[in-house]
Amino acid sequence: MLLSADDKKHIKAIMPAIAAHGDKFGGEALYRMFIVNPKTKTYFPSFDFHHNSKQISAHGKKVVDALNEASNHLDNIAGSMSKLSDLHAYDLRVDPGNFPLLAHNILVVVAMNFPKQFDPATHKALDKFLATVSTVLTSKYR
Ligand code: HEM
């Protein structure tokens, strides 16, 4: 999905605030994904699924850090996420259908925590960004 200059501007404007508390926001998005889409729990067999568990917060931070890193390479998301793409495709083999579920929950958490900044243009930009990241992370499946 092609990100416009305006999309890129909105992504770069909001990502640092999300990344500043990646454990909280990423953890909240994962926690919601696990509640709303319980099948996703099967990929994390060793996790404690309680709210604010250490594992959920730590993993949430990893996910948000990866998104933040990608937001610094918006002209080469595929290159900057190549290793993560290998991991999800070859080792984890996460069903691609799960990516929109996580993306949805990330959007919900951002909307709740940044209601003013989450205007329609930011909503659209983040939606496209997360779709692009999902495409990259599922691009090596065969
Ligand atoms: C691991 C990012 C989507 C399942 C990871 C890691 C990162 C990451 C940064 C850690 C890699 C490492 O430790 O080297 C992302 C991003 C996603 C995404 C940015 C999309 C926005 C998903 C989805 C699932 C998933 C949808 C499944 C529902 C996993 C699992 C691990 C993992 C099972 C390994 C966890 C562990 O053993 O600690 N992901 N991921 N990921 N991801 Fe993803």
Side-chain angles (χ1 to χ4, degrees):
M1 199 175 287
L2 206 57
L3 297 170
S4 67
D6 200 50
D7 292 332
K8 291 177 189 175
K9 194 183 78 185
H10 284 96
I11 294 163
K12 283 178 174 294
I14 199 162
M15 269 316 296
I18 302 170
H21 301 284
D23 51 347
K24 176 173 182 270
F25 299 134
E28 204 59 42
L30 286 172
Y31 179 70
R32 279 179 177 268
M33 180 182 76
F34 293 142
I35 299 273
V36 179
N37 316 101
K39 275 187 302 183
T40 56
K41 292 200 257 187
T42 57
Y43 292 101
F44 301 88
S46 64
F47 268 33
D48 168 358
F49 291 105
H50 288 98
H51 194 223
N52 290 331
S53 83
K54 271 187 195 159
Q55 287 139 327
I56 293 184
S57 298
H59 193 67
K61 179 166 168 39
K62 285 186 199 171
V63 171
V64 169
D65 283 350
L67 292 174
N68 194 38
E69 178 68 15
S71 77
N72 290 323
H73 299 91
L74 291 175
D75 293 323
N76 183 21
I77 293 179
S80 79
M81 300 194 103
S82 177
K83 278 190 182 162
L84 263 190
S85 177
D86 289 347
L87 180 79
H88 285 79
Y90 302 140
D91 300 335
L92 300 170
R93 297 189 177 277
V94 174
D95 184 324
N98 289 296
F99 283 80
L101 306 180
L102 179 57
H104 169 79
N105 285 291
I106 291 172
L107 282 184
V108 168
V109 168
V110 176
M112 288 173 64
N113 285 281
F114 301 93
K116 276 194 185 154
Q117 206 175 340
F118 195 77
D119 56 12
T122 300
H123 184 162
K124 182 187 84 162
L126 275 185
D127 194 28
K128 287 172 76 176
F129 173 56
L130 291 167
T132 305
V133 166
S134 299
T135 300
V136 166
L137 293 188
T138 55
S139 63
K140 295 180 183 170
Y141 287 66
R142 57 175 75 94

